[in-house]
Coordinates of all heavy atoms in Angstrom, one line a residue:
M1 N 74.5 -124.3 37.2 CA 73.7 -123.2 36.7 C 72.7 -123.7 35.8 O 73.0 -124.5 34.9 CB 74.6 -122.2 36.0 CG 74.0 -120.9 35.7 SD 75.1 -119.8 34.9 CE 75.0 -120.3 33.2
K2 N 71.4 -123.3 36.0 CA 70.4 -123.7 35.1 C 70.1 -122.5 34.1 O 70.1 -121.4 34.5 CB 69.1 -124.0 35.8 CG 69.1 -125.3 36.5 CD 67.9 -125.6 37.3 CE 67.9 -126.9 38.0 NZ 66.7 -127.0 38.9
T3 N 70.0 -122.9 32.8 CA 69.8 -121.8 31.8 C 68.7 -122.3 30.8 O 68.7 -123.5 30.5 CB 71.1 -121.5 31.1 OG1 70.8 -120.5 30.1 CG2 71.8 -122.7 30.5
P4 N 67.9 -121.5 30.4 CA 66.8 -121.9 29.4 C 67.5 -122.2 28.1 O 68.6 -121.8 27.7 CB 65.9 -120.7 29.3 CG 66.7 -119.5 29.7 CD 67.7 -120.1 30.7
K5 N 66.7 -123.0 27.2 CA 67.2 -123.4 25.9 C 67.1 -122.3 24.9 O 68.0 -122.1 24.0 CB 66.5 -124.6 25.4 CG 67.0 -125.9 26.0 CD 66.2 -127.1 25.5 CE 66.6 -128.3 26.2 NZ 65.7 -129.4 26.0
T6 N 66.1 -121.4 25.1 CA 66.0 -120.3 24.2 C 65.8 -119.0 25.0 O 65.3 -119.1 26.2 CB 64.8 -120.4 23.2 OG1 63.6 -120.6 24.0 CG2 65.0 -121.6 22.3
I7 N 66.2 -117.9 24.5 CA 66.1 -116.6 25.2 C 65.8 -115.5 24.2 O 66.2 -115.7 23.0 CB 67.4 -116.3 26.0 CG1 67.2 -115.2 27.0 CG2 68.6 -116.0 25.0 CD1 68.4 -115.0 27.9
R8 N 65.1 -114.5 24.6 CA 64.8 -113.4 23.7 C 65.9 -112.3 24.0 O 66.0 -111.8 25.1 CB 63.4 -112.8 24.0 CG 62.9 -112.1 22.8 CD 61.4 -111.9 22.8 NE 61.0 -110.8 21.9 CZ 60.8 -111.0 20.6 NH1 61.0 -112.2 20.1 NH2 60.5 -110.1 19.8
K9 N 66.7 -112.1 22.9 CA 67.9 -111.3 23.1 C 68.1 -110.5 21.9 O 67.7 -110.8 20.8 CB 69.1 -112.3 23.3 CG 70.4 -111.7 23.7 CD 71.3 -112.8 23.9 CE 72.8 -112.4 24.1 NZ 73.3 -111.8 22.9
Y10 N 68.8 -109.3 22.0 CA 69.1 -108.5 20.9 C 70.1 -109.1 19.9 O 71.1 -109.7 20.3 CB 69.7 -107.1 21.4 CG 70.1 -106.2 20.3 CD1 69.2 -105.5 19.5 CD2 71.5 -106.1 20.0 CE1 69.7 -104.6 18.5 CE2 71.9 -105.3 19.0 CZ 71.0 -104.5 18.2 OH 71.4 -103.7 17.2
C11 N 69.7 -109.1 18.6 CA 70.7 -109.6 17.6 C 71.2 -108.4 16.8 O 70.4 -107.7 16.3 CB 69.9 -110.6 16.7 SG 70.9 -111.2 15.3
K12 N 72.5 -108.3 16.7 CA 73.1 -107.2 16.1 C 73.0 -107.3 14.5 O 73.2 -106.3 13.8 CB 74.6 -107.0 16.5 CG 75.5 -108.2 16.1 CD 76.9 -107.9 16.6 CE 77.9 -109.0 16.3 NZ 79.2 -108.7 16.8
H13 N 72.8 -108.5 14.0 CA 72.7 -108.7 12.6 C 71.3 -108.3 12.1 O 71.1 -107.7 11.1 CB 73.0 -110.1 12.2 CG 74.4 -110.5 12.6 ND1 75.5 -110.1 12.0 CD2 74.8 -111.3 13.6 CE1 76.6 -110.6 12.6 NE2 76.2 -111.3 13.6
C14 N 70.2 -108.7 12.9 CA 68.9 -108.4 12.6 C 68.5 -107.0 13.1 O 67.5 -106.4 12.7 CB 67.9 -109.4 13.2 SG 68.2 -111.1 12.7
N15 N 69.3 -106.4 14.0 CA 69.1 -105.1 14.6 C 67.8 -105.0 15.4 O 67.1 -104.0 15.4 CB 69.2 -104.0 13.5 CG 69.5 -102.7 14.1 OD1 70.1 -102.6 15.2 ND2 69.2 -101.6 13.4
K16 N 67.4 -106.1 16.0 CA 66.2 -106.1 16.8 C 66.3 -107.4 17.8 O 67.0 -108.3 17.5 CB 65.0 -106.2 16.0 CG 64.9 -107.5 15.1 CD 63.7 -107.5 14.2 CE 63.6 -108.7 13.4 NZ 62.5 -108.8 12.5
P17 N 65.5 -107.4 18.8 CA 65.4 -108.5 19.7 C 64.8 -109.7 19.0 O 63.7 -109.6 18.4 CB 64.6 -108.1 20.9 CG 64.4 -106.7 20.8 CD 64.6 -106.3 19.4
T18 N 65.4 -110.9 19.0 CA 64.9 -112.1 18.4 C 65.0 -113.3 19.3 O 65.7 -113.2 20.4 CB 65.7 -112.4 17.1 OG1 67.1 -112.6 17.4 CG2 65.5 -111.4 16.0
E19 N 64.4 -114.3 19.0 CA 64.4 -115.6 19.8 C 65.8 -116.3 19.4 O 66.1 -116.4 18.3 CB 63.3 -116.5 19.4 CG 63.0 -117.6 20.3 CD 62.2 -117.1 21.5 OE1 61.6 -116.0 21.5 OE2 62.1 -117.9 22.5
Q20 N 66.6 -116.6 20.5 CA 67.9 -117.2 20.2 C 68.1 -118.4 21.0 O 67.7 -118.5 22.2 CB 69.0 -116.2 20.5 CG 68.9 -114.9 19.6 CD 70.1 -114.0 19.7 OE1 71.1 -114.5 20.1 NE2 69.8 -112.8 19.4
A21 N 68.6 -119.5 20.4 CA 68.9 -120.7 21.1 C 70.3 -120.7 21.8 O 71.2 -120.2 21.2 CB 68.9 -121.9 20.1
I22 N 70.3 -121.2 23.0 CA 71.6 -121.1 23.8 C 72.2 -122.5 23.7 O 71.5 -123.5 23.9 CB 71.3 -120.7 25.2 CG1 70.6 -119.4 25.3 CG2 72.6 -120.6 26.0 CD1 70.2 -119.0 26.7
S23 N 73.5 -122.6 23.5 CA 74.2 -123.9 23.5 C 75.6 -123.6 24.1 O 76.1 -122.5 24.0 CB 74.3 -124.5 22.2 OG 75.0 -123.7 21.3
A24 N 76.2 -124.6 24.6 CA 77.6 -124.5 25.1 C 78.5 -124.7 23.9 O 78.2 -125.5 23.0 CB 77.8 -125.6 26.2
A25 N 79.7 -124.0 24.0 CA 80.6 -124.1 22.9 C 81.3 -125.5 23.0 O 81.5 -126.1 24.0 CB 81.7 -123.1 23.0
K26 N 81.6 -126.1 21.8 CA 82.2 -127.4 21.7 C 83.7 -127.3 22.1 O 84.4 -126.3 21.8 CB 82.1 -127.9 20.3 CG 80.8 -128.5 20.0 CD 80.8 -129.0 18.5 CE 79.4 -129.4 18.2 NZ 79.3 -129.6 16.7
K27 N 84.2 -128.3 22.8 CA 85.6 -128.3 23.2 C 86.4 -128.7 22.0 O 86.1 -129.6 21.3 CB 85.8 -129.4 24.3 CG 86.0 -128.8 25.6 CD 86.5 -129.8 26.6 CE 86.8 -129.2 27.9 NZ 87.3 -130.2 28.9
R28 N 87.4 -127.9 21.7 CA 88.3 -128.2 20.6 C 89.7 -128.5 21.1 O 90.1 -127.9 22.1 CB 88.3 -127.0 19.6 CG 87.0 -126.9 18.9 CD 87.0 -125.7 18.0 NE 85.7 -125.6 17.3 CZ 85.2 -124.5 16.7 NH1 85.9 -123.4 16.8 NH2 84.0 -124.5 16.2
D29 N 90.3 -129.4 20.4 CA 91.7 -129.8 20.8 C 92.7 -128.7 20.5 O 92.8 -128.3 19.4 CB 92.1 -131.1 20.2 CG 91.4 -132.3 20.8 OD1 90.8 -132.1 21.9 OD2 91.4 -133.4 20.3
R30 N 93.5 -128.4 21.5 CA 94.6 -127.5 21.2 C 95.9 -128.3 21.0 O 96.0 -129.4 21.5 CB 94.8 -126.5 22.4 CG 93.7 -125.4 22.5 CD 93.7 -124.5 21.3 NE 95.1 -124.0 21.0 CZ 95.6 -122.9 21.6 NH1 94.9 -122.2 22.4 NH2 96.8 -122.4 21.2
G31 N 96.8 -127.7 20.4 CA 98.1 -128.4 20.2 C 99.0 -128.1 21.4 O 98.5 -127.6 22.4
T32 N 100.2 -128.5 21.3 CA 101.1 -128.3 22.5 C 101.7 -126.9 22.5 O 102.3 -126.6 23.6 CB 102.3 -129.4 22.4 OG1 102.9 -129.2 21.1 CG2 101.8 -130.8 22.6
L33 N 101.6 -126.2 21.4 CA 102.2 -124.9 21.4 C 101.3 -123.8 21.9 O 100.1 -123.9 21.7 CB 102.7 -124.6 20.0 CG 103.7 -125.5 19.4 CD1 103.9 -125.2 17.9 CD2 105.0 -125.3 20.0
K34 N 101.9 -122.7 22.4 CA 101.1 -121.5 22.8 C 100.7 -120.8 21.6 O 101.3 -121.0 20.5 CB 102.0 -120.6 23.7 CG 102.4 -121.3 25.0 CD 101.5 -120.9 26.1 CE 101.9 -121.5 27.4 NZ 101.1 -121.2 28.5
R35 N 99.8 -119.8 21.7 CA 99.3 -119.1 20.6 C 100.4 -118.3 19.9 O 100.5 -118.2 18.7 CB 98.2 -118.2 21.1 CG 97.4 -117.6 19.9 CD 96.4 -116.6 20.4 NE 97.0 -115.5 21.1 CZ 96.4 -114.4 21.5 NH1 95.1 -114.3 21.3 NH2 97.0 -113.4 22.1
G36 N 101.3 -117.7 20.7 CA 102.4 -116.9 20.2 C 103.3 -117.7 19.4 O 103.8 -117.2 18.3
S37 N 103.6 -118.9 19.8 CA 104.5 -119.8 19.1 C 104.0 -120.2 17.8 O 104.7 -120.3 16.8 CB 104.8 -121.1 19.9 OG 105.4 -120.8 21.2
I38 N 102.6 -120.4 17.8 CA 102.0 -120.8 16.5 C 102.0 -119.6 15.5 O 102.4 -119.8 14.3 CB 100.5 -121.2 16.7 CG1 100.5 -122.5 17.6 CG2 99.8 -121.5 15.4 CD1 99.2 -122.9 18.1
A39 N 101.8 -118.4 16.1 CA 101.8 -117.2 15.2 C 103.2 -117.0 14.6 O 103.3 -116.6 13.5 CB 101.3 -116.0 16.0
R40 N 104.2 -117.2 15.5 CA 105.6 -117.0 15.0 C 106.0 -118.1 13.9 O 106.6 -117.8 12.9 CB 106.5 -117.1 16.2 CG 108.0 -117.0 15.9 CD 108.8 -117.1 17.1 NE 110.2 -117.1 16.8 CZ 110.9 -118.3 16.6 NH1 110.3 -119.4 16.7 NH2 112.2 -118.2 16.3
G41 N 105.5 -119.3 14.2 CA 105.8 -120.4 13.2 C 105.1 -120.1 11.9 O 105.7 -120.4 10.8
K42 N 103.9 -119.6 11.9 CA 103.1 -119.3 10.7 C 103.9 -118.3 9.9 O 104.0 -118.3 8.7 CB 101.7 -118.9 11.0 CG 100.8 -120.0 11.4 CD 100.1 -120.6 10.2 CE 99.5 -122.0 10.5 NZ 98.5 -122.0 11.5
G43 N 104.4 -117.2 10.6 CA 105.2 -116.2 10.0 C 106.4 -116.7 9.3 O 106.9 -116.2 8.3
R44 N 107.0 -117.8 9.9 CA 108.2 -118.3 9.4 C 108.0 -119.5 8.4 O 108.9 -120.2 8.0 CB 109.1 -118.8 10.6 CG 109.6 -117.7 11.4 CD 110.4 -118.1 12.5 NE 111.4 -117.1 12.9 CZ 112.7 -117.4 13.0 NH1 113.2 -118.6 12.8 NH2 113.6 -116.4 13.3
G45 N 106.7 -119.7 8.2 CA 106.3 -120.8 7.2 C 106.2 -122.1 7.8 O 106.2 -123.1 7.0
R46 N 106.1 -122.3 9.1 CA 105.9 -123.6 9.7 C 104.4 -123.8 9.8 O 103.6 -122.9 9.9 CB 106.5 -123.6 11.1 CG 108.0 -123.5 11.1 CD 108.8 -124.6 10.4 NE 108.4 -125.9 10.9 CZ 109.1 -126.6 11.8 NH1 110.2 -126.0 12.3 NH2 108.7 -127.8 12.2
G47 N 104.0 -125.1 9.8 CA 102.7 -125.5 10.1 C 101.8 -125.3 8.9 O 100.5 -125.4 9.0
T48 N 102.3 -125.0 7.7 CA 101.5 -124.9 6.5 C 101.9 -126.0 5.5 O 103.0 -126.5 5.5 CB 101.7 -123.5 5.8 OG1 103.1 -123.4 5.5 CG2 101.3 -122.4 6.7
G49 N 100.9 -126.4 4.7 CA 101.2 -127.5 3.7 C 100.5 -128.8 4.1 O 99.6 -128.8 4.9
L50 N 100.9 -129.8 3.4 CA 100.2 -131.1 3.6 C 100.9 -132.0 4.5 O 102.1 -131.8 4.8 CB 100.1 -131.8 2.2 CG 99.3 -131.1 1.1 CD1 99.6 -131.8 -0.2 CD2 97.9 -131.0 1.4
G51 N 100.2 -133.1 5.0 CA 100.9 -134.1 5.8 C 101.0 -133.8 7.3 O 100.5 -132.8 7.8
N52 N 101.6 -134.7 8.0 CA 101.8 -134.5 9.4 C 102.9 -133.5 9.6 O 104.0 -133.6 9.1 CB 102.2 -135.9 10.0 CG 102.4 -135.8 11.5 OD1 101.9 -134.8 12.1 ND2 103.1 -136.7 12.1
K53 N 102.6 -132.5 10.4 CA 103.5 -131.4 10.6 C 104.2 -131.5 11.9 O 104.6 -130.4 12.5 CB 102.7 -130.1 10.5 CG 102.2 -129.8 9.0 CD 101.4 -128.7 8.9 CE 99.9 -128.9 9.2 NZ 99.3 -129.8 8.3
G54 N 104.3 -132.7 12.5 CA 105.0 -132.8 13.8 C 104.4 -132.1 14.9 O 103.2 -132.1 15.0
R55 N 105.1 -131.3 15.6 CA 104.6 -130.6 16.8 C 103.8 -129.3 16.3 O 103.2 -128.7 17.1 CB 105.6 -130.2 17.8 CG 106.6 -129.2 17.3 CD 107.7 -129.0 18.4 NE 108.6 -127.9 18.0 CZ 108.7 -126.8 18.7 NH1 107.9 -126.6 19.8 NH2 109.5 -125.9 18.3
W56 N 103.8 -129.1 15.0 CA 103.1 -128.0 14.5 C 101.7 -128.4 14.1 O 100.9 -127.6 13.6 CB 103.8 -127.3 13.3 CG 105.1 -126.8 13.7 CD1 106.3 -127.5 13.6 CD2 105.4 -125.6 14.2 NE1 107.3 -126.7 14.0 CE2 106.8 -125.5 14.5 CE3 104.7 -124.4 14.6 CZ2 107.4 -124.4 15.0 CZ3 105.3 -123.4 15.1 CH2 106.7 -123.4 15.4
G57 N 101.4 -129.7 14.2 CA 100.1 -130.2 13.9 C 99.1 -130.0 15.0 O 99.4 -129.2 15.9
S58 N 98.1 -130.8 15.1 CA 97.1 -130.6 16.1 C 97.1 -131.8 17.0 O 96.4 -132.8 16.8 CB 95.7 -130.4 15.5 OG 95.4 -131.5 14.6
K59 N 97.9 -131.8 18.1 CA 97.9 -132.9 19.0 C 97.4 -132.3 20.4 O 97.8 -131.2 20.8 CB 99.4 -133.3 19.2 CG 99.6 -134.7 19.8 CD 101.1 -135.0 19.8 CE 101.5 -136.0 20.8 NZ 102.9 -136.2 20.9
P60 N 96.5 -133.0 21.0 CA 95.9 -132.5 22.2 C 97.0 -132.4 23.4 O 97.8 -133.3 23.5 CB 94.8 -133.4 22.6 CG 95.1 -134.7 21.9 CD 95.9 -134.3 20.7
T61 N 96.9 -131.3 24.2 CA 97.8 -131.2 25.3 C 97.2 -131.7 26.6 O 96.0 -131.8 26.7 CB 98.2 -129.7 25.5 OG1 99.0 -129.6 26.6 CG2 97.0 -128.8 25.7
K62 N 98.0 -132.1 27.5 CA 97.5 -132.6 28.8 C 97.1 -131.4 29.6 O 97.8 -130.4 29.7 CB 98.6 -133.3 29.5 CG 98.8 -134.7 29.0 CD 99.8 -135.5 29.9 CE 100.0 -136.9 29.3 NZ 101.1 -137.5 30.0
P63 N 95.9 -131.5 30.3 CA 95.5 -130.4 31.1 C 96.3 -130.3 32.4 O 96.6 -131.3 33.0 CB 94.0 -130.7 31.4 CG 93.9 -132.2 31.2 CD 94.9 -132.5 30.2
K64 N 96.8 -129.1 32.6 CA 97.8 -128.9 33.7 C 97.0 -128.5 35.0 O 97.5 -129.0 36.1 CB 98.7 -127.8 33.4 CG 99.9 -128.3 32.5 CD 100.8 -127.1 32.2 CE 101.8 -127.6 31.2 NZ 102.5 -126.5 30.6
M65 N 96.0 -127.7 34.9 CA 95.4 -127.2 36.2 C 94.2 -128.1 36.6 O 93.4 -127.6 37.4 CB 94.9 -125.8 36.0 CG 95.8 -124.8 36.7 SD 95.2 -123.1 36.6 CE 93.7 -123.3 37.5
L66 N 94.1 -129.3 36.1 CA 93.0 -130.2 36.5 C 93.0 -130.5 37.9 O 94.0 -130.9 38.5 CB 93.0 -131.4 35.6 CG 91.7 -132.1 35.4 CD1 90.9 -131.3 34.4 CD2 91.9 -133.5 34.8
G67 N 91.9 -130.3 38.6 CA 91.8 -130.7 40.0 C 92.0 -129.5 40.9 O 91.6 -129.6 42.1
K68 N 92.5 -128.4 40.5 CA 92.7 -127.3 41.4 C 91.4 -126.5 41.6 O 91.0 -126.2 42.7 CB 93.7 -126.3 40.8 CG 95.1 -126.8 41.0 CD 96.2 -125.8 40.5 CE 97.6 -126.4 40.7 NZ 98.6 -125.5 40.1
K69 N 90.7 -126.2 40.5 CA 89.4 -125.5 40.7 C 88.3 -126.5 40.3 O 88.5 -127.3 39.3 CB 89.4 -124.3 39.8 CG 90.1 -123.1 40.4 CD 90.0 -121.9 39.6 CE 90.8 -120.8 40.3 NZ 91.1 -119.7 39.4
T70 N 87.2 -126.4 41.0 CA 86.1 -127.4 40.7 C 85.1 -126.8 39.7 O 84.3 -127.5 39.2 CB 85.4 -127.8 42.0 OG1 85.0 -126.6 42.7 CG2 86.3 -128.6 42.9
S71 N 85.2 -125.5 39.5 CA 84.3 -124.9 38.5 C 85.1 -124.4 37.3 O 86.3 -124.2 37.4 CB 83.5 -123.7 39.2 OG 84.4 -122.7 39.5
K72 N 84.3 -124.2 36.2 CA 85.0 -123.8 35.0 C 84.1 -122.7 34.4 O 82.9 -122.7 34.6 CB 85.1 -124.9 34.0 CG 86.3 -125.8 34.2 CD 86.3 -126.9 33.2 CE 87.6 -127.7 33.4 NZ 87.6 -128.9 32.5
K73 N 84.8 -121.8 33.6 CA 84.0 -120.7 32.9 C 83.4 -121.3 31.7 O 84.0 -122.0 30.9 CB 85.0 -119.6 32.5 CG 85.1 -118.5 33.6 CD 85.8 -117.3 33.0 CE 85.9 -116.3 34.1 NZ 86.7 -115.1 33.6
R74 N 82.0 -121.2 31.6 CA 81.3 -121.8 30.5 C 81.2 -120.8 29.4 O 81.0 -119.6 29.6 CB 79.9 -122.2 31.0 CG 79.9 -123.2 32.1 CD 80.6 -124.5 31.7 NE 80.8 -125.3 32.9 CZ 81.3 -126.5 32.9 NH1 81.6 -127.1 31.7 NH2 81.5 -127.2 33.9
D75 N 81.4 -121.3 28.2 CA 81.3 -120.5 27.0 C 80.0 -120.7 26.3 O 79.8 -121.7 25.6 CB 82.5 -120.9 26.1 CG 82.7 -120.0 24.9 OD1 82.0 -118.9 24.9 OD2 83.6 -120.3 24.1
L76 N 79.1 -119.8 26.4 CA 77.8 -119.9 25.8 C 77.7 -119.3 24.5 O 78.3 -118.2 24.2 CB 76.7 -119.3 26.8 CG 76.5 -120.0 28.1 CD1 75.4 -119.3 28.9 CD2 76.2 -121.4 28.0
R77 N 76.9 -119.9 23.6 CA 76.7 -119.4 22.2 C 75.2 -119.2 22.0 O 74.4 -120.0 22.4 CB 77.3 -120.4 21.2 CG 78.7 -120.8 21.3 CD 79.6 -119.6 20.9 NE 80.9 -119.7 21.5 CZ 82.0 -119.9 20.8 NH1 82.0 -120.1 19.6 NH2 83.2 -119.9 21.5
Y78 N 74.9 -118.0 21.4 CA 73.5 -117.7 21.1 C 73.3 -117.7 19.6 O 74.0 -117.0 18.9 CB 73.2 -116.3 21.7 CG 73.4 -116.2 23.2 CD1 74.6 -115.7 23.7 CD2 72.4 -116.5 24.1 CE1 74.8 -115.6 25.1 CE2 72.6 -116.4 25.4 CZ 73.8 -115.9 25.9 OH 74.0 -115.8 27.3
K79 N 72.4 -118.6 19.2 CA 72.1 -118.7 17.7 C 70.8 -118.1 17.4 O 69.8 -118.5 18.0 CB 72.2 -120.2 17.3 CG 72.1 -120.3 15.8 CD 72.3 -121.7 15.3 CE 72.4 -121.8 13.8 NZ 72.5 -123.1 13.4
C80 N 70.8 -117.1 16.6 CA 69.6 -116.4 16.2 C 68.7 -117.3 15.3 O 69.2 -117.9 14.4 CB 69.9 -115.1 15.5 SG 68.5 -114.2 14.9
K81 N 67.4 -117.3 15.6 CA 66.5 -118.2 14.8 C 66.1 -117.6 13.5 O 65.5 -118.3 12.7 CB 65.3 -118.6 15.7 CG 65.7 -119.6 16.8 CD 64.5 -120.3 17.4 CE 65.0 -121.4 18.4 NZ 63.8 -121.9 19.1
E82 N 66.3 -116.3 13.4 CA 65.8 -115.6 12.2 C 66.9 -115.6 11.1 O 66.7 -115.9 10.0 CB 65.4 -114.2 12.5 CG 64.0 -114.2 13.2 CD 63.4 -112.8 13.3 OE1 63.7 -111.9 12.5 OE2 62.6 -112.7 14.3
C83 N 68.2 -115.1 11.5 CA 69.2 -115.1 10.5 C 70.2 -116.2 10.6 O 71.0 -116.5 9.7 CB 70.0 -113.7 10.7 SG 70.9 -113.5 12.2
G84 N 70.1 -117.0 11.7 CA 71.0 -118.2 11.9 C 72.4 -117.9 12.2 O 73.2 -118.8 12.2
K85 N 72.7 -116.7 12.6 CA 74.1 -116.3 13.0 C 74.3 -116.5 14.5 O 73.3 -116.4 15.3 CB 74.4 -114.9 12.6 CG 74.5 -114.8 11.1 CD 75.0 -113.4 10.6 CE 75.2 -113.4 9.1 NZ 75.5 -112.1 8.6
T86 N 75.5 -116.9 14.9 CA 75.8 -117.2 16.3 C 76.6 -116.0 16.9 O 77.5 -115.5 16.3 CB 76.7 -118.4 16.3 OG1 76.0 -119.5 15.6 CG2 76.8 -118.9 17.8
S87 N 76.2 -115.6 18.1 CA 77.0 -114.6 18.8 C 77.4 -115.2 20.1 O 76.9 -116.2 20.6 CB 76.1 -113.4 19.1 OG 74.9 -113.8 19.8
I88 N 78.5 -114.7 20.7 CA 79.1 -115.2 21.9 C 78.7 -114.3 23.1 O 78.4 -113.2 22.9 CB 80.6 -115.4 21.8 CG1 81.3 -114.1 21.4 CG2 81.0 -116.5 20.8 CD1 82.8 -114.2 21.5
Q89 N 78.8 -114.9 24.2 CA 78.5 -114.1 25.4 C 79.7 -113.1 25.7 O 80.8 -113.4 25.3 CB 78.2 -115.0 26.6 CG 79.4 -115.9 27.0 CD 79.1 -116.7 28.2 OE1 79.8 -117.7 28.4 NE2 78.1 -116.4 28.9
R90 N 79.4 -112.1 26.5 CA 80.4 -111.1 26.8 C 81.5 -111.6 27.7 O 82.7 -111.4 27.5 CB 79.8 -109.8 27.3 CG 79.1 -109.0 26.3 CD 78.6 -107.7 26.8 NE 77.9 -107.0 25.8 CZ 77.1 -106.0 26.0 NH1 76.8 -105.6 27.2 NH2 76.5 -105.4 25.0
S91 N 81.1 -112.3 28.8 CA 82.1 -112.8 29.7 C 81.6 -114.2 30.2 O 80.4 -114.4 30.3 CB 82.3 -111.9 30.9 OG 81.1 -111.7 31.6
G92 N 82.6 -115.0 30.4 CA 82.3 -116.4 30.8 C 81.7 -116.4 32.2 O 82.0 -115.6 33.1
V93 N 80.8 -117.4 32.5 CA 80.2 -117.5 33.8 C 80.8 -118.8 34.5 O 80.8 -119.8 33.9 CB 78.7 -117.7 33.7 CG1 78.1 -117.8 35.1 CG2 78.1 -116.6 32.9
R94 N 81.4 -118.6 35.7 CA 82.0 -119.7 36.4 C 81.0 -120.5 37.1 O 80.2 -120.0 37.9 CB 83.0 -119.1 37.4 CG 84.0 -120.2 37.9 CD 85.1 -119.5 38.7 NE 86.2 -119.2 37.8 CZ 87.1 -120.0 37.3 NH1 87.0 -121.3 37.6 NH2 88.0 -119.6 36.5
T95 N 80.9 -121.8 36.7 CA 79.9 -122.7 37.3 C 80.4 -124.1 37.2 O 81.2 -124.4 36.4 CB 78.5 -122.5 36.5 OG1 77.6 -123.4 37.1 CG2 78.7 -122.8 35.1
K96 N 79.9 -124.9 38.1 CA 80.3 -126.3 38.2 C 79.7 -127.1 37.1 O 80.3 -127.9 36.4 CB 80.0 -126.9 39.5 CG 81.0 -126.5 40.6 CD 80.7 -127.3 41.9 CE 81.7 -126.9 42.9 NZ 81.5 -127.6 44.2
K97 N 78.3 -126.9 36.9 CA 77.6 -127.7 36.0 C 76.6 -126.8 35.3 O 76.0 -126.0 35.8 CB 76.8 -128.8 36.8 CG 76.3 -129.9 36.0 CD 75.6 -130.9 36.9 CE 75.0 -132.1 36.2 NZ 74.2 -132.9 37.1
L98 N 76.5 -127.1 34.0 CA 75.6 -126.3 33.1 C 74.4 -127.2 32.7 O 74.7 -128.3 32.1 CB 76.4 -125.8 31.9 CG 75.7 -124.8 31.1 CD1 75.4 -123.5 31.8 CD2 76.5 -124.5 29.8
V99 N 73.2 -126.8 33.0 CA 72.0 -127.6 32.7 C 71.1 -126.7 31.8 O 70.8 -125.6 32.2 CB 71.3 -128.0 34.0 CG1 70.1 -128.9 33.6 CG2 72.3 -128.8 34.9
F100 N 70.7 -127.3 30.7 CA 69.7 -126.6 29.8 C 68.4 -127.2 30.2 O 68.2 -128.4 30.2 CB 70.1 -126.8 28.4 CG 71.3 -126.2 27.9 CD1 72.5 -126.9 27.8 CD2 71.4 -124.8 27.8 CE1 73.7 -126.3 27.4 CE2 72.6 -124.2 27.4 CZ 73.7 -124.9 27.2
E101 N 67.4 -126.3 30.4 CA 66.1 -126.8 30.7 C 65.0 -126.1 29.9 O 65.3 -125.3 29.1 CB 65.8 -126.6 32.2 CG 66.0 -125.1 32.7 CD 65.7 -124.9 34.1 OE1 65.7 -125.9 34.9 OE2 65.5 -123.8 34.5
Ligands
ZN201 ZN1 69.6 -112.4 13.8

């Protein structure tokens, strides 16, 4: 999918259409635990404090579904050039390759 580097789009912070830069979201490492497990652990006092927290720390997980689908949903971010705030797209677009032109 080809997408322009900037787009004129409505900004909810400025309350008017502004020039916005488009970029792909950065990949962030997830731990081995599911979101619910982390939430439960936080409630029980796990994963807080200093030092290595074992499996409650941030260790990247192995991708399980790699190779099944050839395309991925892209997470685009729109950064307003006037107020500098970033907004996310409503729904991900499934595409093999993302090219900014
Ligand atoms: Zn704005």
Side-chain angles (χ1 to χ4, degrees):
M1 189 179 87
K2 285 180 182 173
T3 177
K5 277 178 186 167
T6 57
I7 194 172
R8 202 163 164 80
K9 190 177 169 294
Y10 173 77
C11 174
K12 63 179 178 182
H13 303 286
C14 304
N15 202 22
K16 63 182 178 183
T18 57
E19 199 80 12
Q20 297 191 24
I22 306 176
S23 64
K26 280 179 190 170
K27 255 193 174 178
R28 286 178 182 160
D29 283 347
R30 285 296 310 271
T32 52
L33 298 170
K34 296 262 183 184
R35 193 184 64 172
S37 300
I38 294 166
R40 180 177 170 270
K42 284 270 161 67
R44 291 177 151 232
R46 297 296 304 268
T48 55
L50 301 169
N52 183 17
K53 292 173 275 294
R55 69 185 187 114
W56 301 93
S58 54
K59 200 177 159 188
T61 179
K62 279 184 182 175
K64 278 178 187 168
M65 255 186 61
L66 205 73
K68 280 184 183 173
K69 280 180 181 166
T70 53
S71 65
K72 278 181 178 174
K73 271 192 180 176
R74 301 296 168 176
D75 189 6
L76 296 180
R77 304 284 157 117
Y78 301 94
K79 190 173 185 186
C80 177
K81 287 192 173 174
E82 287 190 25
C83 64
K85 288 188 177 170
T86 308
S87 59
I88 56 171
Q89 61 178 162
R90 282 184 182 166
S91 61
V93 184
R94 193 167 276 280
T95 178
K96 280 188 179 179
K97 198 177 174 185
L98 190 64
V99 181
F100 294 104
E101 52 180 23

